Amino acid sequence: GLELPAGQTVELKPGGYHLMLMDLKQPLKAGDTLPLTLQIERPGKPAETLQLQVPVRALGGQGGHGH
């Protein structure tokens, strides 16, 4: 999980907080769009599900893992 402080922005980026996708069935290609589901949990409230369409970018540049 990732703490999301109220009223503050949390940025996902290479070299910082980021998502790593494991056990993919096929390689991702730059320019493709990946469906991604995030579940947001807050104390005392029901979980919220966000359905996203995330663009796939080529690896490289600063902070990349190189895999």
Side-chain angles (χ1 to χ4, degrees), residues 14-38:
Y17 292 122
H18 62 278
L19 300 176
M20 185 172 291
L21 305 175
M22 309 290 284
D23 298 324
L24 296 171
K25 304 289 186 231
Q26 61 188 24
L28 300 175
K29 296 180 216 156
D32 284 352
T33 301
L34 178 71
L36 189 67
T37 302
L38 298 178

Side-chain angles (χ1 to χ4, degrees), residues 1-12 16-19 38-43:
L2 175 63
E3 294 290 326
L4 302 174
Q8 296 182 26
T9 299
V10 175
E11 185 177 1
L12 301 177
Y17 292 122
H18 62 278
L19 300 176
L38 298 178
Q39 186 170 353
I40 310 297
E41 298 176 359
R42 294 179 280 172

Side-chain angles (χ1 to χ4, degrees), residues 4 12-14 22 25 35 38 44 46 50 53 56-57 66-67:
L4 302 174
L12 301 177
K13 62 183 179 180
M22 309 290 284
K25 304 289 186 231
L38 298 178
L50 299 175
Q53 294 294 320
V56 176
R57 298 186 309 195
H67 43 196

